[in-house]
Amino acid sequence: MNHENYDPDDRIAALATPWAESAIAVIRTSGQGSIEVLSPLIKADLVNQESRKMLYTTLKDPQSGESLDEIMIVPFRAPGSYTGQESVELYCHGSLPGVQKILNLLFRSGFRQASPGEFTFRAFIHGKMDLTRAEAVQEIISSKTGKAQSLALNRLSGVLEKRINHFKDSATGMAALFAIQLDYPDDEVESPPLPLKEIEEIKNGLKELIDSYRVGKIYQEGVVIVLAGRTNVGKSSLFNLFLKEDRSIVSDVHGTTRDYLESWISLGGIPVRLYDTAGLRKFEDSVEEEGIRRTREVMENAHILIYVLDGSIDLSEEEEEMLAQSHPEGKGKRVVVWNKADLSQNRAPAGAIPVSAVTGQGFTELEDALRLQIFADTSQIGAEAVVDSLRQKELLERAFAGVVKVEEAIHNGLPVDVLAMDLHDVLQALGEITGEVSSSDILERMFSNFCVGK
Ligand SMILES: Nc1nc2c(ncn2[C@@H]2O[C@H](COP(=O)(O)OP(=O)(O)OP(=O)(O)O)[C@@H](O)[C@H]2O)c(=O)[nH]1
Ligand SMILES: [Mg+2]
């Protein structure tokens, strides 16, 4: 999408549902004249159809006279549509050849294929939503757990926009104050008190949002957790317990799992990519050697390693050593599980969580320990507004740095024009977050990550 010479009125169309056989497919169009262009293609009068009221009709090719499908169609007149401009949505049977025929007809009739995110981009330029909401649209679509989806939904409803606007209002008020002092420098009017309290408030608020990014990222992108340990300790049994299904082969033969397996799970709403791996031992053949090499590779990339021990037998030297290390090597964190606790009368070694993959004992404690590790470096976020876009986080940091500069300038007794300039930076960054000031390359990058049809 080229935003420089962008024509926001030309007519676009795209399939909004996946390109796959389905019960119903939704085709979306937007642009001036959409209703008039589509009307001759159906056996009903779309031009006089009430806005946002659905119509059941037949779609036909006016050239050949061929009936293409029985459809439901709904016109949206500006500004009462998702994009804020005239739009038509069309619900047809989800047959791929059928959908292709309909799209071909639309492209012959004066629509062009929409780019990814183009409908949302139009909603943004028509003032239907600011950039924090526009970004939330794609975040909702790509969210992997219910919790991630509701955090993104909060942003769509504008919680983040409201907070940013609150900072903006406050900074604008300060800018006005500085402007008065610039206009009347000679103490003709008594100088108003410096807005130190407001500055502190903006600083804390920005800091809170910046910190929330880590939480947002966890919910949006998820974390990688890897089950590792010696052969036969019960890694695959635990993997299946997390998944609540028998995905990985479990047997009392050592070296059952030869290659890693992976699956998405939800850990109390946190999306987790969980890996089961080949047991670590001196390999017996080249296939197992490759399996163990892959296991080590997967372990390297883990955010959290669940190191599994077998509670029914003695620990190996290597396991003892591992337990003794309070700080595991590698970038990830570690949780040690003492599995098969049901078979042992002994107590779990210090630092290990007693669990049984067979009885389920200790599993809740294991989940709690994982959650604690995941959020270990994040502050507790009370507010509903959580940032999970890197773009927003970087702009928040720029605004924060600007506020700190203003504060320092005040403490150092610098002249008001310096304060005003620093404050201008703050306002600029905040404006970019919501899209009030937006450069075309930001828009280009942002909307290109969207789904086509959204
Ligand atoms: N009693 C008991 N048996 C368990 C438990 N966990 C696993 N087992 C048994 O231990 C054996 C090995 O389990 P797996 O889950 O295949 O072990 P693994 O670590 O994946 O083994 P490899 O893939 O060979 O590395 C199986 O016979 C399981 O039924 C447990 O908590 N209690
Ligand atoms: Mg296994």
Side-chain angles (χ1 to χ4, degrees):
M1 221 185 319
N2 180 355
H3 297 91
E4 293 293 341
N5 311 309
Y6 187 73
D7 176 3
D9 289 324
D10 70 347
R11 285 182 294 275
I12 54 173
L15 179 67
T17 40
W19 183 248
E21 188 180 304
S22 57
I24 293 167
V26 179
I27 293 172
R28 195 175 217 188
T29 75
S30 191
Q32 236 168 44
S34 293
I35 295 174
E36 219 165 295
V37 171
L38 272 161
S39 195
L41 309 182
I42 59 173
K43 282 189 180 160
D45 180 9
L46 197 61
V47 174
N48 292 305
Q49 171 72 1
E50 207 180 313
S51 199
R52 306 210 232 183
K53 280 267 161 68
M54 219 177 221
L55 201 66
Y56 169 62
T57 184
T58 304
L59 184 78
K60 57 183 174 35
D61 184 337
Q63 270 170 4
S64 65
E66 184 196 359
S67 290
L68 296 185
D69 202 358
E70 305 268 302
I71 60 160
M72 306 287 277
I73 191 164
V74 53
F76 299 85
R77 289 188 179 76
S81 70
Y82 179 75
T83 55
Q85 61 182 171
E86 190 176 316
S87 305
V88 178
E89 275 178 25
L90 201 152
Y91 306 80
C92 58
H93 291 98
S95 122
L96 292 182
V99 167
Q100 190 61 67
K101 273 191 203 171
I102 298 173
L103 283 172
N104 287 345
L105 174 64
L106 295 182
F107 297 146
R108 266 192 280 125
S109 312
F111 289 91
R112 69 164 169 82
Q113 170 67 49
S115 324
E118 196 166 3
F119 291 92
T120 309
F121 175 64
R122 289 195 172 187
F124 165 69
I125 53 179
H126 289 109
K128 280 269 159 180
M129 51 177 96
D130 79 316
L131 281 188
T132 67
R133 295 188 199 223
E135 276 174 300
V137 170
Q138 186 59 24
E139 288 158 6
I140 289 177
I141 293 172
S142 59
S143 52
K144 295 180 189 73
T145 66
K147 176 74 180 173
Q149 188 261 3
S150 35
L151 287 173
L153 197 60
N154 277 346
R155 287 190 286 274
L156 181 63
S157 74
V159 285
L160 191 56
E161 183 191 12
K162 277 197 204 94
R163 290 205 69 185
I164 304 288
N165 282 341
H166 174 72
F167 300 142
K168 240 186 314 194
D169 289 347
S170 184
T172 310
M174 277 184 234
L177 207 73
F178 295 156
I180 293 175
Q181 293 181 41
L182 277 174
D183 287 347
Y184 304 102
D186 302 329
D187 288 338
E188 285 166 29
V189 286
E190 201 183 319
S191 323
L194 286 164
L196 283 168
K197 205 174 127 258
E198 284 89 337
I199 288 178
E200 196 59 25
E201 203 183 273
I202 301 186
K203 227 175 73 178
N204 293 339
L206 287 172
K207 180 81 173 48
E208 195 178 303
L209 281 183
I210 293 166
D211 288 347
S212 79
Y213 174 67
R214 299 179 78 133
V215 175
K217 210 164 111 86
I218 287 169
Y219 278 111
Q220 196 64 24
E221 290 177 13
V223 287
V224 173
I225 300 187
V226 175
L227 286 154
R230 271 205 288 171
T231 54
N232 218 48
V233 293
K235 300 177 295 299
S236 301
S237 307
L238 285 166
F239 182 75
N240 291 343
L241 193 61
F242 274 110
L243 262 61
K244 299 181 184 72
E245 62 173 298
D246 284 338
R247 262 286 301 285
S248 187
I249 301 174
V250 167
S251 91
D252 57 3
V253 176
H254 284 253
T256 303
T257 310
R258 308 268 270 180
D259 199 350
Y260 65 79
L261 270 82
E262 53 182 306
S263 183
W264 279 107
I265 59 159
S266 165
L267 188 78
I270 308 159
V272 169
R273 191 123 191 95
L274 185 70
Y275 286 79
D276 179 20
T277 60
L280 301 168
R281 67 167 173 180
K282 215 171 167 320
F283 44 83
E284 296 194 336
D285 57 45
S286 60
V287 177
E288 186 167 18
E289 179 183 6
E290 176 59 14
I292 292 176
R293 191 194 65 75
R294 289 179 183 211
T295 293
R296 299 216 180 268
E297 210 171 83
V298 171
M299 284 167 75
E300 283 283 299
N301 292 317
H303 294 115
I304 300 176
L305 202 63
I306 305 181
Y307 203 98
V308 188
L309 306 173
D310 185 338
S312 67
I313 55 169
D314 290 339
L315 297 183
S316 72
E317 218 170 273
E318 208 177 311
E319 288 170 334
E320 296 275 12
E321 260 173 41
M322 187 275 309
L323 267 175
Q325 296 166 354
S326 49
H327 295 290
E329 72 267 42
K331 70 178 169 102
K333 300 168 190 159
R334 188 183 65 193
V335 169
V336 183
V337 162
W338 196 64
N339 190 36
K340 307 196 191 180
D342 57 302
L343 295 181
S344 179
Q345 307 297 333
N346 301 335
R347 285 173 64 116
I353 305 164
V355 170
S356 166
V358 168
T359 67
Q361 151 200 355
F363 191 65
T364 314
E365 286 78 0
L366 171 58
E367 288 186 314
D368 291 346
L370 291 171
R371 256 197 301 272
L372 212 67
Q373 289 286 348
I374 291 170
F375 290 119
D377 310 324
T378 59
S379 51
Q380 272 304 310
I381 305 301
E384 293 163 321
V386 171
V387 171
D388 85 343
S389 135
L390 181 63
R391 183 193 79 86
Q392 290 169 7
K393 182 206 152 215
E394 285 174 351
L395 288 166
L396 286 165
E397 282 171 340
R398 220 176 87 195
F400 182 80
V403 176
V404 170
K405 266 169 100 180
V406 175
E407 196 179 35
E408 281 170 5
I410 290 179
H411 286 309
N412 296 333
L414 295 183
V416 174
D417 52 346
V418 176
L419 304 185
M421 248 160 56
D422 291 338
L423 200 59
H424 177 77
D425 276 353
V426 174
L427 278 165
Q428 181 81 16
L430 292 174
E432 273 187 40
I433 295 177
T434 52
E436 217 167 90
V437 240
S438 53
S439 66
S440 62
D441 69 311
I442 288 175
L443 292 177
E444 194 126 3
R445 259 187 293 144
M446 197 178 120
F447 287 96
S448 60
N449 298 327
F450 272 60
C451 304
V452 173
K454 192 65 227 185

